[in-house]
Amino acid sequence: MSIQHDKIRKLVQRRENARKGGGEERIAAQHAKGKMTARERLDLLLDEGSFEEFDIFVQHRCTNFGMENVRFDGDGVVTGMGTIDGRLVYVYAQDFTVSGGSMSGTMAQKICKVQDMAIRNGAPFIALNDSGGARIQEGICSLAGYGEIFERNILASGVIPQISGIFGPCAGGAVYSPALTDFTVMVKDTSYMFLTGPGVVKTVTGEVVTQEELGGAGVHAGKSGVAHFAAGSEQEAIQTIRALLSFLPSNNREQAPLLTCTDPVSRTDDSLNDIIPDSSQKAYDMYDVIGSIVDDGKFLEIHRKWAKNIIVGFARMNGRSVGIVANQPKVLAGVLDINASRKAARFVRFCDAFNIPLVTLVDVPGFLCGTGQEYGGIISHGAKLLYAYGEATVPKVTVTLRKAYGGAHITMSCKQLRGDINYAWPSANIAVMGAEGAVEVLYSKDLKLMSDKKQKEEYISEKKQEYKELFCNPYNAASYGYIDDIIEPRNTRFRVIRALEQLAEKKQENPWKKHDNLPL
């Protein structure tokens, strides 16, 4: 065998060993936990044969605590580029079989390299996390590595889509990279995120809590809102990432992929003419409306388990990606509260950053009242959503289905926040408040003077009817041009798509600024 062939044989063997991470025994231990390895996840995520790996032979440089005797090629993270549905993406996947996937200085350098490439080349960045946290033996070098990654997350924000998958532990400072990305997908029972673990929590606060109770997928998808998706398996989580990416452009200078639509643009749905109950106190399901108007009824919901009184997610209309924001009358009557405002505001800002038109379906009785909301800062949080809509320059089409009262009407993409096309159904009530509250305010003096109960009831009924005829309909707003047209519900799909087609080449810019001062 020639010297050259021997060198090639050694290269092939070393590469093969590197691909085994921490070795067969540790891979078996990973599988025993119901978890895939880093490379198995990437194989499932990326198009077959598309993965191009970088830095497979990188090793850590730590010599503390005997670490000079524990070295693996790749150093606990697999980095590179590949394609998803033929589109370029940059990825990293932490390898728990090597030092528990702990963050070293060299691991951070590998991650930062692909982050820089993603930003420079205008491609989405996907991070698959499975790590025990900072590599304690490296001290400040590990912490500095986290800082370098976070800085790139920040610089990439609004430039390229960033998606984080949590496939195991993600604790301490490590949680801030997913928090800085656009979307986070967790896996039930096998992934968790928290700043301090159950042991520290017990020591500091005396509270006894499990990892799942403290930072599991259910907690972050349903209570904290940190996770956008809680998948039932790793396979489902990876398919969710692929599905999510299909709605997004590769960067902020491009448009999302335009697909061929086989669902007729002119399709009508007579059930929408009957969906609004006769009583304004009764609920209906906004998902039925969304499913009726989007292409093939397909809707990828974001934050499905959190702040359910508002619905956000992606769909297509005539093949074009759109962001849907809709109040949900079935939950808290669709009222806006702190969490709903935060949820919708962040989604609206994402869509605006990546040129995705916004379709807003309105049925909102107002902002939630009470000391809990006021003490929690509902004023500032509600202002986030108002700010997001007012700042957005993407096409904005709004349809008011029923209630749109007071400040909540303004907040939900009204004409004064530069809503491009604002439609209303005949059932829309656009006013400062509902008839019941308005009569109590407008005629309070008259009502105090009435002692006869029957007389008072008749008076209230009469005045409520007067108020409803004047304000609790869409025609008053339409008379001022604040509603562009009142449409038959069955035609909503056609009218919204036609509006979006009209706005496809919209150009609008905000005044120059270094950055805004969103009410955080």
Side-chain angles (χ1 to χ4, degrees), residues 322-335:
V322 296
I324 303 286
V325 181
N327 308 110
Q328 172 56 295
K330 285 189 69 175
V331 181
L332 296 175
V335 72

Side-chain angles (χ1 to χ4, degrees), residues 51-124:
F51 183 52
E52 184 77 15
E53 185 170 355
F54 305 136
D55 295 328
I56 192 173
F57 300 119
V58 165
Q59 295 183 352
H60 72 76
R61 305 177 187 103
C62 179
T63 58
N64 300 325
F65 305 101
M67 287 297 291
E68 67 274 13
N69 301 317
V70 185
R71 296 183 188 275
F72 293 89
D73 282 340
D75 198 29
V77 68
V78 184
T79 62
M81 53 156 279
T83 62
I84 294 178
D85 293 329
R87 299 169 61 203
L88 175 66
V89 297
Y90 288 86
V91 297
Y92 79 78
Q94 291 175 321
D95 186 351
F96 196 80
T97 70
V98 176
S99 301
S102 57
M103 178 65 68
S104 66
T106 50
M107 179 191 283
Q109 289 172 7
K110 288 182 64 174
I111 292 172
C112 289
K113 179 186 285 189
V114 288
Q115 285 182 295
D116 289 338
M117 295 173 80
I119 297 170
R120 189 165 59 244
N121 298 327

Side-chain angles (χ1 to χ4, degrees), residues 353-507:
F354 290 100
N355 310 312
I356 299 173
L358 288 160
V359 176
T360 305
L361 305 176
V362 182
D363 188 346
V364 60
F367 283 92
L368 187 60
C369 60
T371 56
Q373 290 290 305
E374 295 294 352
Y375 295 171
I378 182 61
I379 296 172
S380 294
H381 292 294
K384 292 176 184 176
L385 180 53
L386 189 155
Y387 194 107
Y389 269 123
E391 177 189 42
T393 59
V394 292
K396 293 181 284 190
V397 179
T398 304
V399 183
T400 301
L401 281 60
R402 187 167 62 172
K403 300 174 184 175
Y405 294 151
H409 157 71
I410 301 170
T411 300
M412 293 296 294
S413 195
C414 70
K415 183 64 74 175
Q416 290 70 40
L417 295 184
R418 303 189 301 188
D420 293 298
I421 301 294
N422 289 63
Y423 292 133
W425 284 4
S427 49
N429 298 332
I430 304 170
V432 175
M433 62 178 67
E436 292 79 3
V439 168
E440 289 183 12
V441 173
L442 293 171
Y443 303 104
S444 59
K445 291 183 179 179
D446 293 348
L447 292 172
K448 286 179 181 178
L449 297 174
M450 294 181 184
S451 57
D452 185 279
K453 184 178 179 180
K454 185 177 180 181
Q455 180 189 16
K456 183 182 289 188
E457 289 176 351
E458 291 176 350
Y459 183 80
I460 291 174
S461 178
E462 177 188 338
K463 296 302 180 184
K464 280 171 60 177
Q465 188 59 36
E466 289 180 7
Y467 184 87
K468 286 178 180 179
E469 290 175 1
L470 186 60
F471 290 115
C472 292
N473 59 69
Y475 298 99
N476 183 260
S479 72
Y480 289 97
Y482 300 147
I483 293 296
D484 295 298
D485 197 8
I486 301 167
I487 64 175
E488 191 176 346
R490 67 193 299 270
N491 296 328
T492 301
R493 170 177 167 80
F494 170 68
R495 298 300 297 271
V496 170
I497 289 176
R498 190 157 66 176
L500 290 171
E501 295 298 324
Q502 173 200 162
L503 297 165
E505 300 301 322
K506 174 188 174 184
K507 297 290 187 295

Side-chain angles (χ1 to χ4, degrees), residues 16-30:
E16 183 64 27
N17 290 337
R19 286 173 175 159
K20 293 179 181 178
E24 298 290 352
E25 188 176 327
R26 292 183 182 177
I27 290 174
Q30 183 85 338

